[in-house]
Amino acid sequence: MPAYFTLMMEFSRYEVDLDTVEKLDKAFEIVGLKFKSGFWGKAEDRTKEEIILHNQTLLEEDFMLGAAQNHDEGYWQSEYEYEGFSSVRGMFLNNAPEKGEFEYVLLIPEEEVLGGDVKTYRADPIERLGALAEKLWAIPQIRSIQTGVEGSDDMTPESEYREGKQMQTDPFAVISERYYPEQDTKLYDAKHIQLGGVMITSKKAKIEETNV
């Protein structure tokens, strides 16, 4: 299975309502994520509306896919078009419901983002993904945006990063200005963005000027 760059959006379970998935889909359209089709298994033959309804039902149930269950029983994935990437997949993750949060994750082929190694990133795709993260931050329900590559740690939940635990920044994250001072700020380059957000980029990340 190919490796993926992941852009992870964190949401609070306590803000789930009857049209959470539909509102998220409309927000994605506004920021330029164009729905192409369902992805993998049963989702491939479903309409966007059917995928929204299926995922909304599971989200309201706080569903977590069990180890012995088939992936078709879980959240259905979507595929999008965005800014020239060959593939952008999206899916809900609810791996730790006891933490009161869930994720929506975008997956992009890692080879289109990385340079020569796992800590070197191509400038152009990172700029495009950073711009997407800034637009996504306008979605009121998003608590944080974090990024990773193959082998990165899982997303750090709000309950932990607001107490100072390091966020997942391979190479960047978006955090509320309220919680940014709790981070070890010397590790990051910080940029204040719209609606009280701070985009933090790891100083360990190397950005190279290379075409996609």
Side-chain angles (χ1 to χ4, degrees), residues 81-93:
E81 292 180 359
Y82 186 75
E83 291 286 328
F85 291 107
S86 66
S87 174
V88 180
R89 289 165 49 199
M91 61 181 178
F92 286 97
L93 291 179

Side-chain angles (χ1 to χ4, degrees), residues 89-107:
R89 289 165 49 199
M91 61 181 178
F92 286 97
L93 291 179
N94 189 32
N95 293 334
E98 72 277 2
K99 294 183 179 180
E101 57 91 23
F102 63 93
E103 304 168 34
Y104 196 83
V105 179
L106 298 178
L107 301 98

Side-chain angles (χ1 to χ4, degrees), residues 73-142:
E73 299 178 65
Y75 298 93
W76 288 348
Q77 299 184 36
S78 297
E79 189 163 16
Y80 304 93
E81 292 180 359
Y82 186 75
E83 291 286 328
F85 291 107
S86 66
S87 174
V88 180
R89 289 165 49 199
M91 61 181 178
F92 286 97
L93 291 179
N94 189 32
N95 293 334
E98 72 277 2
K99 294 183 179 180
E101 57 91 23
F102 63 93
E103 304 168 34
Y104 196 83
V105 179
L106 298 178
L107 301 98
I108 296 103
E110 199 173 82
E111 63 183 12
E112 298 181 27
V113 180
L114 291 184
D117 59 65
V118 294
K119 288 297 181 183
T120 302
Y121 303 86
R122 300 179 181 187
D124 180 71
I126 288 299
E127 288 173 4
R128 285 181 279 152
L129 291 166
L132 174 61
E134 288 194 41
K135 295 174 186 175
L136 290 168
W137 185 249
I139 300 174
Q141 292 80 15
I142 290 181

